[in-house]
Amino acid sequence: MSTLERARCRLKAHALALDAAIAAGVLVCMVVGSFVVPRGENGVTWGVRSPDPLSLVLMTLGAAALVFRRRAPKTVLAVTGTVSLIEFFTGDPRAPVSMSAVVALYTVASRTDRTTTWRVGLLTMTVLTAAAMLGGSLPWYAQENLGVLAWTGIGATAGDAVRSRRAVVQAIRERAERAERTREEEARRRVAEERLRIARDLHDVVAHHIALVNVQAGVAAHVMDRRPDQAKEALAHVRQASRSALNELRATVGLLRQSGDPEAPTEPAPGLSRLADLVGTFHSAGLPVEVARTDQGSGLPAAVDLAAYRIVQEALTNVQKHAGTDAKAEVSVVRVGPNIEVTVLDDGAGPAGEPGAGGGHGLLGMRERVTALGGTLTTGPRYGGGFRVHAILPVKTRTTAPGEPA
């Protein structure tokens, strides 16, 4: 907090004491002004006079009312205006009692709206100026009478200007706070989206490779005694799958590193160009997979390419885990107009025929990926047995606006 803001806080905490000090200052100015009067035949000269006791009482009442100017500004203006009217008709020569009315009018203008300022200001100026012109021994066009009009106008104008400036400063502060909140909300939204994306990647990587490791480890344990060569081959596949899982996990977790941490691997994210390698890992795990592609040569955005790869990976992992030992899978990647269609079929009839029977998040992760790119995903059992996963991904993805639901 700056020095100016701390001073403002202290003034707000002691507003009554401040108003009392202002009232005392106004009283001193009125009393000093009541001893001096401009008078002379050949111009303005200054002489000394003694104020009337009634004028001293009126000045004291007007200054005392200013102590409560923040709590009841209109009431204080009425009191100070009344004592000013009495002085205009009884004072000869007059004392500057109207100074308290000018301060009260300034307070009303600075603490109310512009419409109230115009109405109250015009009413105060008219009444006080008319009383000054009609009361006393001075002619109506005297300089002192015109001074009442000028000073009341200055008080109302100054108060309105202060109120306008205060409103502008408050509006700027509110806009700054609102912009700060918007930036924080946008940052939280981006963090949540990034966490969701990393969670999907981790699920895809772990589910795929751990499923292969599980299958190959089971094969090795089954044939270890009778066919050690086949067991060694299965263990080699376990080692290769675990190494691939570690590499992909390292690449994914590397996104979470801080700036001072060691650099993460810089290899590109997987895509359909690595589809043959992916299918090969399932072949080695004992799952026959047939691939049909008509999309070669069509460049895909990185997000679409990664999503298509992950959909095939997760779908084949579900086949490996849930479709049974004799299941077969078919993968097709077709370019249809502005879209890429990815289809994974299986003829599994195992006890857990539907992927997702185990309560995992594979299908949910696929659906989130496809929806984030503006595509559609259809999953469900096939007639006659098996399961079908069909995704339509637009090649030209649409960027989701901040705050817009996916």
Side-chain angles (χ1 to χ4, degrees):
M1 183 181 293
S2 63
T3 304
L4 181 58
E5 291 179 348
R6 286 196 297 268
R8 288 177 178 175
C9 291
R10 283 195 292 267
L11 291 177
K12 289 181 179 180
H14 303 85
L16 187 63
L18 176 62
D19 290 338
I22 293 176
V26 172
L27 178 61
V28 171
C29 292
M30 289 190 295
V31 172
V32 171
S34 65
F35 281 93
V36 181
V37 60
R39 183 173 298 174
E41 297 179 356
N42 299 322
V44 178
T45 59
W46 295 88
V48 178
R49 65 178 177 86
S50 298
D52 297 332
L54 179 59
S55 297
L56 291 175
V57 173
L58 295 176
M59 287 186 288
T60 303
L61 291 176
L66 293 179
V67 177
F68 307 98
R69 65 189 185 95
R70 295 177 191 265
R71 298 184 179 181
K74 294 181 180 179
T75 303
V76 172
L77 177 60
V79 172
T80 55
T82 302
V83 297
S84 299
L85 291 176
I86 296 173
E87 175 63 21
F88 288 149
F89 286 99
T90 60
D92 190 19
R94 297 170 182 167
V97 180
S98 59
M99 184 182 298
S100 60
V102 173
V103 176
L105 180 58
Y106 163 84
T107 304
V108 171
S110 64
R111 304 185 70 85
T112 58
D113 57 281
R114 178 159 295 175
T115 302
T116 303
T117 300
W118 275 94
R119 292 175 179 175
V120 175
L122 289 175
L123 178 62
T124 303
M125 292 168 60
T126 302
V127 172
L128 293 184
T129 303
M133 290 180 176
L134 297 177
S137 59
L138 296 175
W140 68 269
Y141 52 85
Q143 185 176 359
E144 294 182 19
N145 298 335
L146 298 178
V148 174
L149 175 65
W151 280 109
T152 51
I154 291 174
T157 304
D160 184 71
V162 170
R163 181 197 54 78
S164 299
R165 181 184 178 279
R166 189 183 298 130
V168 170
V169 172
Q170 182 64 23
I172 293 175
R173 184 180 294 110
E174 291 177 355
R175 283 198 299 270
E177 294 176 354
R178 188 163 52 249
E180 184 66 22
R181 287 195 300 269
T182 302
R183 285 193 296 269
E184 292 176 356
E185 292 172 358
E186 178 68 14
R188 286 194 295 268
R189 185 186 65 84
R190 291 183 180 275
V191 168
E193 290 179 353
E194 186 65 13
R195 290 177 60 187
L196 180 60
R197 188 189 67 79
I198 293 174
R200 286 198 300 260
D201 287 342
L202 287 176
H203 174 271
D204 294 342
V205 171
V206 172
H208 166 60
H209 291 291
I210 297 303
L212 296 182
V213 169
N214 181 53
V215 171
Q216 295 294 349
V219 172
H222 182 68
V223 301
M224 179 66 71
D225 297 330
R226 292 176 297 172
R227 286 175 287 179
D229 294 339
Q230 187 175 354
K232 290 182 180 179
E233 182 181 355
L235 292 176
H237 288 308
V238 169
R239 182 180 180 184
Q240 181 181 359
S242 61
R243 184 186 299 113
S244 299
L246 289 174
N247 290 336
E248 292 198 27
L249 284 174
R250 189 179 298 111
T252 302
V253 177
L255 298 174
L256 304 177
R257 296 181 182 272
Q258 301 295 329
S259 59
D261 293 339
E263 293 185 1
T266 57
E267 63 181 33
L272 292 178
S273 60
R274 295 173 54 182
L275 183 59
D277 297 335
L278 176 66
V279 172
T281 61
F282 286 99
H283 276 299
S284 62
L287 176 65
V289 181
E290 295 183 3
V291 180
R293 296 186 59 180
T294 62
D295 67 311
Q296 284 85 350
S298 59
L300 297 178
V304 176
D305 200 20
L306 175 61
Y309 177 88
R310 293 301 189 195
I311 290 170
V312 175
Q313 182 185 53
E314 179 61 30
L316 292 178
T317 301
N318 287 336
V319 175
Q320 181 74 50
K321 292 166 59 178
H322 304 295
T325 56
D326 298 330
K328 297 180 181 180
E330 299 177 6
V331 177
S332 66
V333 182
V334 182
R335 176 70 180 265
V336 181
N339 302 321
I340 286 287
E341 297 189 9
V342 179
T343 306
V344 180
L345 307 174
D346 72 83
D347 58 356
E354 291 190 14
H361 299 83
L363 295 180
L364 177 61
M366 282 192 286
R367 191 171 304 279
E368 289 173 349
R369 285 184 181 276
V370 174
T371 305
L373 297 175
T376 58
L377 178 71
T378 305
T379 61
R382 297 174 61 193
Y383 179 77
F387 201 79
R388 176 177 181 268
V389 175
H390 179 67
I392 302 177
L393 302 174
V395 176
K396 295 182 179 180
T397 59
R398 180 178 62 88
T399 303
T400 303
E404 179 183 350

